[in-house]
Structures are given as structure tokens and as C-alpha cells.
Amino acid sequence: MNNAHYLNEKDIKMVTDDVLNVISLAVLTSITIGMLGIYFFCPRFIIETWMKFFVWWSGMSRKFAHIDGITLCYGEKGRQCDSKPTIIFLHGFSADHYMWAPIALRMPASYHMIALDQPGHGGSDDPLESEAIGYHSQVKKLYQFLQHKNLDIKNKLHIVGLSMGGTIGGLFAAEYPHLVHKLTICCPSMQTPSASQFAENLRLAVDEKGPDVGILECGLLPQNPSELQNMLKLSHYYYTSLPQQILQGAADMRKQRNVFFLKLFRKIAETPSTLVDNIHRIDTPVQLIWGREDSIIDISGLDVLKDKLVNCKSVDVIPCCGHAIPLDQPKIFTELILGFHKFHLD
């Protein structure tokens, strides 16, 4: 007697579904374990991935240029056109082109913008050992980059710089006035009549512990999650508490360059009056922007610049805004830049 049992189509489907369920569960389990592993043991990867995604989402393409022995990274959105000058965005100390992503997200597609990572920042290489790293060297590197991009051929530029980038932008306009159509300077690195909270903390730390340790503990070079959290509170008006592991990932990402940042900070701190000393040479139309609650560069610097500029066209103080203007108030900031950009094209 034949006792063989043959599976019908229904039985086969049930077996197939069971196998697929097991495989799906195994895959999901592996993904979950992998994500938990990354979160707890390599949180830096999460931060880096998010930053690259946000830059892409903003419409910027991440690109590279090989210039004079080093590679510079930059974000670019739109195409150069004859009717509008290209807008060049220059970030602050220890930041990179990611800080401009909220602005790029709001920038109309008809505009051409480039956000450059200065040497030693973001995706750019560190400067060569033989290279100087002060303000004037960064201005020269910016000029070389613009030559590489051929942006000084058809149109002049609208340069937007914040903090260290504001000082670099101002010095660039003074050195190469034939290339600059307009200039937006935002809370630039400078010595202000009234000391900011950051400047006072730095002075006390340096007096107590010496320059190297004092600068490391000043708040801009975080070594751990707690110090990073304090830096965010110092630089932002709006601050949201972040999970410990996310803060750890961001701290790990930043501190790999703290040796260079320390060297750069000491160099630019040697010449705190560089922008003010050269500002009379800027004859292009200038827009000044400051966050009213800036705790890093005190707003008292605004009147100094306004009084010394020969062609200051616009002064804007943004309420409920700290030093990180593009992150605190991206909508207002974008509107101010585009308003100034458009007005002086007419």
C-alpha cells in the first residue's frame, strides 16, 4: 500500500510563507542588531550619514576640487548664469558646508550657490605643513578655488560669510574688489567693545590654565558629550537636548581635528583686529547681519563695523537668534540674503 503524501498547492504556499517569515525575521533581527551596534559603538557614523543626507536633501551636490596640493570639499546647488551673481557661503570656525544646508533648502533653484569647506574643515584636507593658516592664507586659498571654478570670469560674486567666514569674506572683498558684487558679513570674528560670554570665559580659562588648556576648555573644541552640549547651548538660541550617544558621535567626529583647530584658533587669535584694520578698503555694497542673542561675538561689534564701512547698505539684527544664525533662524536669514541680493541687482 502506498502511504506517500503529496503536498497540494495550499500546503506549498504555507511552507513558502513560513520560510519567508523566518528569513524576514532573520533579516530584520540582523538589521536591528546592526543598527544598535552602530548606535552604541559607532555613533559617529550616524552623524556623518545624517549630515550627508541633509546636504543632499537641501539640493546641494557634494564635490571636490584639487588645488595646490590639497583637496577642497564644497557643496554646490544650481548653475552659474549671467543674470545673477553666484553666492559663495563661508562657514565659521570648526564648521563646514553642512551649516548652510538649511539655507540651501530654502534657496530658489534659479540661484547658484557654493558652500566651501575651508582647509582643515569638513571634507577638505588639512593645509600642507609648509602652508600658513591665518586669515590671509585662507583668502588666498579661496581665490585659488574661485579660479579653479572659473567663477571670476563672467560675473562678480556675492560673498556671505559667518564668524571666521565673515572675516575671510571681508578680507577677500578688500583684496579682490573687482571680483565682489556684494558682501554679507555675519557676526565676524573680531574684538568687540563689550566682551561676549565666550570671550570672558576664554579669558578666565587662559589666565587660570594657560593658553593651550584654556583654549581647549573654552567651549568651541568639545572633547566629550557634555562639552559638546555646552558648545551647542553657547552657539544656539534654540537648543534641544540630544541623546547621549548622538552627542558622543558628534564629539568623536569633531575631536579628530582638534589639534588643527587649536593651532588655527591660536593663529587667528593673534590678530583679532584684522577685519577692522582692513574694513576701510571694502567699497562694495555691504550687508551686516547679527543674532541679537549672540554669546560668542558680542553684538557691540556691529556699530564698529557700521561706522567704519564706506558703503554699508543694510544692517539687520535678528531677534531670538544666537551665533549659529543659519540654524537658529534659517527662514529669516535666507530672506534677508535674497532681499539684499535682489535689491542690488536692480
Side-chain angles (χ1 to χ4, degrees):
M1 183 176 179
N2 187 357
N3 293 323
H5 176 68
Y6 296 95
L7 295 176
N8 57 35
E9 290 185 5
K10 183 178 179 180
D11 293 332
I12 293 174
K13 185 178 184 304
M14 291 177 60
V15 171
T16 303
D17 288 344
D18 288 343
V19 172
L20 290 176
N21 288 337
V22 171
I23 293 174
S24 298
L25 181 61
V27 170
L28 288 174
T29 301
S30 299
I31 291 174
T32 301
I33 292 173
M35 292 301 295
L36 287 173
I38 291 173
Y39 180 77
F40 285 106
F41 299 106
C42 191
R44 172 182 161 184
F45 176 79
I46 297 175
I47 301 298
E48 291 175 338
T49 301
W50 162 249
M51 291 174 68
K52 290 177 181 178
F53 170 77
F54 191 34
V55 166
W56 170 82
W57 188 34
S58 74
M60 282 194 287
S61 298
R62 196 164 182 259
K63 300 180 180 180
F64 298 89
H66 304 285
I67 299 170
D68 200 20
I70 69 170
T71 297
L72 296 180
C73 178
Y74 62 99
E76 183 172 18
K77 179 178 180 178
R79 295 183 179 180
Q80 186 177 11
C81 63
D82 294 332
S83 61
K84 299 185 186 73
T86 294
I87 306 177
I88 305 294
F89 289 90
L90 304 175
H91 61 75
F93 172 77
S94 78
D96 56 43
H97 68 280
Y98 166 78
M99 72 173 291
W100 299 112
I103 309 306
L105 189 64
R106 294 164 172 82
M107 189 71 63
S110 58
Y111 286 79
H112 181 220
M113 65 166 287
I114 291 176
L116 175 66
D117 287 352
Q118 295 292 335
H121 294 73
S124 293
D125 290 343
D126 288 353
L128 301 174
E129 286 293 328
S130 58
E131 286 185 302
I133 60 173
Y135 285 126
H136 292 288
S137 298
Q138 295 188 66
V139 168
K140 178 183 176 182
K141 192 64 70 176
L142 173 59
Y143 176 71
Q144 291 175 323
F145 171 77
L146 296 176
Q147 283 187 312
H148 175 84
K149 290 288 292 182
N150 290 325
L151 294 177
D152 56 340
I153 295 177
K154 295 182 180 179
N155 273 329
K156 292 185 177 183
L157 308 167
H158 179 181
I159 294 183
V160 179
L162 185 142
S163 195
M164 181 184 78
T167 299
I168 294 170
L171 294 174
F172 185 89
E175 193 69 27
Y176 304 100
H178 60 291
L179 300 181
V180 184
H181 185 267
K182 56 181 65 68
L183 172 67
T184 299
I185 299 177
C186 312
C187 49
S189 300
M190 61 179 289
Q191 190 168 7
T192 56
S194 299
S196 66
Q197 177 187 338
F198 164 74
E200 185 62 20
N201 292 345
L202 176 61
R203 183 187 67 80
L204 293 174
V206 169
D207 287 347
E208 180 182 351
K209 300 181 180 179
D212 284 351
V213 175
I215 293 171
L216 280 174
E217 296 182 0
C218 72
L220 295 186
L221 299 174
Q223 305 284 312
N224 54 55
S226 176
E227 292 178 0
L228 181 67
Q229 183 169 273
N230 290 336
M231 185 197 76
L232 294 175
K233 289 180 179 178
L234 183 68
S235 58
H236 293 64
Y237 178 82
Y238 294 105
Y239 173 73
T240 301
S241 295
L242 298 172
Q244 184 79 0
Q245 286 302 112
I246 298 301
L247 291 169
Q248 182 66 62
D252 289 344
M253 184 180 69
R254 289 176 57 87
K255 70 182 181 182
Q256 64 178 337
R257 273 187 157 156
N258 272 357
V259 172
F260 169 75
F261 290 154
L262 175 61
K263 182 179 177 182
L264 175 62
F265 189 96
R266 295 194 66 176
K267 184 63 180 178
I268 61 180
E270 292 174 0
T271 53
S273 63
T274 300
L275 177 61
V276 175
D277 292 344
N278 288 274
I279 205 162
H280 64 281
R281 300 169 55 204
I282 302 173
D283 56 12
T284 189
V286 178
Q287 174 187 39
L288 296 175
I289 300 179
W290 226 285
R292 190 175 63 190
E293 287 77 22
D294 194 327
S295 297
I296 294 181
I297 307 294
D298 190 76
I299 196 171
S300 60
L302 185 64
D303 288 335
V304 175
L305 300 181
K306 183 173 62 175
D307 292 343
K308 290 182 177 294
L309 282 165
V310 299
N311 197 8
C312 183
K313 297 294 187 182
S314 176
V315 177
D316 297 291
V317 176
I318 304 177
C320 302
C321 184
H323 191 65
I325 302 175
L327 304 178
D328 270 342
Q329 295 288 0
K331 182 176 184 293
I332 295 175
F333 188 57
T334 305
E335 290 172 351
L336 290 174
I337 291 171
L338 292 180
F340 180 66
H341 186 88
K342 183 180 184 301
F343 178 79
H344 290 283
L345 286 177
D346 298 338

